[in-house]
């Protein structure tokens, strides 16, 4: 599902590489923890995967597509196959929960009853049906993170990238989010969860742990 | 009045985003109204000048005075002959009775002066309108003079040709000015759209991240620009109409000119302005959204 071949990323104006010769393979359906301290390059690695940044060197392949050479006009079709949960929730605070979740379906051209049904289905999964019409900005942190997750899950992506999805959440909410990232909810998708929080690692059994340290892959557990 | 939750085409998305920032709508529509009103005034002036020029240029440029013995039939024949000459746009036989009648009308309140005439002093003539761009030069005059039964060729308005040239130059200048004005409107629209894009950059960045194409993100902005343009065109038409009413109130100008004859409001103006506004909305929308919609990196 994901192949990184000697990928380096140096941000313009930076001397230190954010990622240095990272090589990695993630087969379809695998659950991967991407760990490492703050500043290790976790977000950068995810941003390379959804085409928000270009690798300085090396190749980044997602589902067979070479993202590192992808022209901008091909990005939308790549991103529709991905579900991304951003480090900051990135919701539209004035719009309803329903609209926030529907966004990822609308941009893919879904309309009418199928759209309604799909949004309701996903809201059901993240236990937010009752809040469908509430403005997203009025929800608690845990609820907002579930909206963000629902938006990522709605199109049924083959690859889910979650950047610190439990970032500022209390343990109960964190557990709830992690449960939603495994099993039936994600329908067999490949999942990559970036986190600096080691206590999270015990929540998903059998997950692979990849550790980043100053832009280098330290160990693959 | 939100659209059904499941159905959101570019129009309803445009209306939704327009409602989010009514102040921006106000600014956009009012500046655009001013710009289109200027465009409208320009069009009214250009239209009226064009009308008066066409009127002036439309009269005969040459008058062929016929010999006294020429019959009316010969006059008709001559007019028909001349009509076929390439340099001639139009030739018409005007007999002396018609000429006198016309003279009478032109004298207006002084027409009684003619009542004392014993006989009609005017000759039969053929009035010739030259084709556009043809000067009443020596050669042409001589050629016309040499025809049977032509007693004299009078260049009734020798300046007409130069007026025509001046009018053509002025027409070119006016067209250039019109295009400049239009480009000004386009730039204004594009700036407004740029503002709107900037105001919604978070939303746009998010849409790009979840897989929206450029076109999908651009469409509501184009619709928005066109709607603003139409609203501004309607307002500008009203403004120009009101101005033309004020200006055409009877008032005396020097030289016996009357303003109300110079300023008539062209009926089609609202339609023309609306058409220009739609065009400017689309062009300005494209320009304004332009490269600011980035799919990669952060906005
Ligand atoms: N847009 C950027 N421009 C310049 N440097 C950046 C940018 N984003 C991240 N960095 C740098 O790259 C390194 C890795 O950052 P990041 O990928 O955000 O790490 P993490 O997500 O593991 O905390 C850091 O040193 C950070 O300062
Ligand atoms: Mg990070």
């Amino acid at each position: 599902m994901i192949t990184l071949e000697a990928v380096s990323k140096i941000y313009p104006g930076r001397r230190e590489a954010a990622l240095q010769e990272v090589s990695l393979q993630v087969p379809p359906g695998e659950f991967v923890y991407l760990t490492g301290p703050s500043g290790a390059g976790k977000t950068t690695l995810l941003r390379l995967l959804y085409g928000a940044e270009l690798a300085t060197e090396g190749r980044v392949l997602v589902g067979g597509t070479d993202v590192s050479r992808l022209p901008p006009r091909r990005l939308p079709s790549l991103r529709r196959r991905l579900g991304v949960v951003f480090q900051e929730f990135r919701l539209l605070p004035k719009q309803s929960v329903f609209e926030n979740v529907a966004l990822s379906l609308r941009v893919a051209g879904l309309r009418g009853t199928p759209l309604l049904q799909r949004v309701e289905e996903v809201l059901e999964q993240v236990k937010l049906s009752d809040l469908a019409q509430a403005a997203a900005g009025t929800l608690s942190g845990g609820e907002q993170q579930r909206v963000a997750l629902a938006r990522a899950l709605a199109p049924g992506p083959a690859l889910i990238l979650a950047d610190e999805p439990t970032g500022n959440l209390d343990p109960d909410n964190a557990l709830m989010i992690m449960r939603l990232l495994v099993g039936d909810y994600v329908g067999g998708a490949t999942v990559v969860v970036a986190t600096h929080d080691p206590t999270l690692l015990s929540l998903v059994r059998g997950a692979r742990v990849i550790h980043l340290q100053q832009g280098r892959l330290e160990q693959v557990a | 009045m939100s659209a059904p939750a499941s159905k959101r085409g570019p129009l309803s998305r445009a209306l939704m985003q327009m409602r989010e920032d009514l102040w921006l709508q106000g600014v956009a529509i009012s500046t655009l109204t001013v710009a289109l009103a200027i465009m409208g005034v320009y069009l009214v002036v250009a239209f009226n000048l064009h009308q008066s020029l066409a009127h002036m240029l439309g009269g005969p440029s040459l008058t062929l005075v016929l010999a006294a013995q020429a019959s009316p039939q010969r006059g008709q024949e001559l007019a028909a002959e001349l009509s076929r000459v390439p340099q001639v746009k139009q030739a018409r036989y005007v007999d002396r009775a018609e000429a006198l009648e016309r003279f009478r009308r032109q004298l207006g309140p002084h027409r009684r002066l003619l009542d004392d005439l014993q006989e009609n002093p005017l000759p039969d003539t053929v009035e010739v309108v030259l084709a556009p761009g043809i000067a009443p030069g020596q050669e042409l005059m001589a050629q016309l003079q040499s025809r049977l039964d032509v007693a004299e060729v009078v260049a009734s308005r020798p300046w007409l040709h130069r007026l025509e040239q001046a009018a053509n130059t002025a027409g070119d200048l006016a067209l250039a000015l019109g295009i400049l004005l239009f480009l000004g409107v386009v730039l204004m629209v594009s700036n407004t759209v740029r503002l709107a894009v900037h105001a919604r950059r978070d939303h746009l960045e998010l849409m790009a991240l979840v897989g929206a194409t450029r076109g999908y993100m651009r469409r509501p902005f184009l619709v928005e620009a066109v709607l603003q343009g139409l609203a501004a065109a309607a307002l500008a038409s009203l403004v120009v109409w009101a101005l033309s009413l004020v200006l055409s109130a009877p008032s005396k100008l020097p030289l016996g000119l009357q303003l109300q004859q110079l300023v008539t409001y062209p009926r089609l103006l609202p339609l023309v302005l609306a058409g220009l506004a739609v065009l400017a909305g689309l062009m300005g929308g494209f320009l304004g959204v332009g490269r600011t919609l980035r799919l990669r990196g952060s906005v």
Side-chain angles (χ1 to χ4, degrees):
Chain A
M1 191 70 208
I2 299 173
T3 304
L4 267 61
E5 294 173 1
V7 171
S8 295
K9 173 70 187 177
I10 304 173
Y11 284 105
R14 289 289 176 116
R15 213 148 356 104
E16 299 283 301
L19 289 177
Q20 224 168 356
E21 303 206 4
V22 173
S23 295
L24 176 68
Q25 282 227 348
V26 179
E30 194 169 32
F31 188 104
V32 178
Y33 276 118
L34 187 60
T35 63
S38 178
K42 306 181 294 294
T43 298
T44 301
L45 201 156
L46 295 186
R47 284 172 67 78
L48 289 175
L49 292 176
Y50 59 83
E53 299 288 348
L54 284 178
T56 313
E57 265 171 77
R59 295 211 310 158
V60 179
L61 293 142
V62 174
T65 307
D66 188 349
V67 184
S68 49
R69 308 268 180 296
L70 207 59
R73 73 192 151 74
R74 302 251 332 263
L75 278 175
S77 66
L78 167 81
R79 288 175 178 169
R80 286 175 200 175
R81 288 183 284 135
L82 307 182
V84 184
V85 181
F86 305 98
Q87 193 160 357
E88 338 74 48
F89 314 124
R90 276 189 181 265
L91 299 180
L92 302 170
K94 286 188 202 154
Q95 298 209 10
S96 67
V97 168
F98 181 98
E99 275 312 316
N100 271 279
V101 176
L103 184 69
S104 58
L105 299 170
R106 288 194 198 285
V107 300
L110 202 66
R111 305 234 177 297
T113 321
L115 177 112
L116 279 172
Q117 281 175 349
R118 181 61 188 150
V119 175
E120 277 163 13
E121 201 173 277
V122 187
L123 286 179
E124 186 78 31
Q125 285 177 1
V126 301
K127 312 260 181 310
L128 282 176
S129 303
D130 293 344
L131 291 171
Q133 293 313 317
T138 63
L139 305 189
S140 74
E143 288 163 344
Q144 293 199 20
Q145 191 59 295
R146 267 140 64 203
V147 178
L149 186 56
R151 182 181 63 201
L153 296 179
L159 173 60
I160 294 168
L161 307 173
D163 198 354
E164 311 274 5
T166 59
N168 316 310
L169 303 182
D170 57 84
D172 283 352
N173 270 307
L175 182 61
M176 181 162 182
I177 293 289
M178 290 311 295
R179 286 216 173 114
L180 288 166
L181 280 169
V182 291
D184 287 347
Y185 297 116
V186 297
T190 312
V191 180
V192 180
V193 175
T195 179
H196 67 274
D197 178 5
T199 63
L200 225 53
L201 304 187
S202 58
L203 293 180
V204 177
R205 230 157 289 159
R208 178 172 162 199
V209 179
I210 295 172
H211 191 73
L212 272 176
Q213 189 79 39
Q214 293 184 339
R216 288 178 180 279
L217 219 56
E218 285 249 308
Q219 46 173 286
V220 179
Chain B
M1 47 160 265
S2 79
S6 62
K7 211 172 142 240
R8 288 252 160 94
L11 180 62
S12 68
R13 283 195 287 137
L15 289 175
M16 243 174 53
Q17 67 180 30
M18 286 173 81
R19 258 184 320 171
E20 275 172 22
D21 198 341
L22 291 175
W23 185 81
L24 193 61
Q25 299 311 314
V27 173
I29 292 173
S30 51
T31 51
L32 209 49
T33 299
V34 172
L36 285 175
I38 292 173
M39 186 96 199
V41 168
Y42 159 82
L43 286 174
V44 169
V45 170
F47 171 80
N48 281 288
L49 282 180
H50 180 262
Q51 293 288 91
S52 356
L53 269 176
H55 187 72
M56 282 167 87
L57 292 172
S61 32
L62 292 176
T63 303
L64 275 55
V65 178
L66 301 188
Q69 77 277 8
S71 65
Q73 201 188 350
R74 174 60 196 141
Q76 300 280 10
E77 275 171 25
L78 188 62
E81 256 174 68
L82 290 174
S83 298
R84 287 189 293 273
V85 174
Q87 293 102 317
V88 171
K89 185 175 158 212
Q90 189 188 319
R92 195 171 78 87
Y93 173 65
V94 179
D95 69 20
R96 59 183 62 191
E98 186 185 341
L100 186 66
E101 186 46 42
R102 191 161 66 187
F103 190 29
R104 221 187 272 281
R105 260 186 285 127
Q106 284 171 352
L107 283 177
H110 308 293
R111 70 170 68 86
R112 304 220 157 269
L113 288 176
L114 297 181
D115 289 352
D116 296 336
L117 289 174
Q118 303 297 316
E119 59 177 276
N120 187 345
L122 299 174
D124 295 326
T125 59
V126 172
E127 291 181 352
V128 172
V129 179
L130 292 176
I134 300 296
Q138 297 287 332
E139 205 177 324
L140 182 63
M141 299 283 275
Q143 196 206 335
L144 293 172
Q145 178 89 63
S146 68
R147 291 190 182 240
L148 188 65
D149 287 327
V150 174
E152 201 185 344
V153 180
V154 182
S156 40
R157 294 183 292 167
W159 41 265
L160 199 62
H161 177 62
R162 262 181 291 145
L163 177 66
E164 191 182 324
Q165 280 179 332
N168 283 342
T169 312
D172 290 347
L173 281 177
L175 185 65
L177 181 63
I179 290 173
L180 275 182
L181 275 176
F182 179 72
L183 288 181
V185 174
V186 169
L187 282 183
M188 188 173 276
V189 173
S190 87
N191 278 334
T192 315
V193 171
R194 211 170 282 261
L195 272 183
V197 169
H198 186 74
R200 291 164 195 144
R201 62 192 180 285
D202 290 346
H203 192 161
L204 289 169
E205 193 185 342
L206 180 64
M207 290 214 288
L209 285 174
V210 298
T213 59
R214 250 176 219 291
Y216 183 87
M217 295 190 276
R218 177 166 39 213
R219 253 167 264 140
F221 288 98
L222 295 186
V223 172
E224 181 177 353
V226 166
L227 290 179
Q228 287 170 347
L230 286 175
L235 290 173
S237 303
L238 278 177
V239 169
V240 176
W241 177 70
L243 275 178
S244 72
L245 272 193
V246 173
L247 286 181
S248 62
S251 66
K252 287 252 183 268
L253 286 182
L255 304 172
L257 285 172
Q258 279 188 326
L259 202 48
Q260 77 212 63
Q261 284 165 353
L262 281 178
V263 186
T264 61
Y265 183 81
R267 293 260 168 80
L268 282 179
L269 187 72
L271 270 183
V272 172
L273 283 183
L276 289 174
V278 168
L279 199 61
L282 292 175
M283 291 172 67
F286 257 91
L287 272 177
V289 174
R291 294 276 122 190
T292 52
L293 283 188
R294 290 172 44 189
L295 295 180
R296 188 171 270 137
S298 41
V299 178

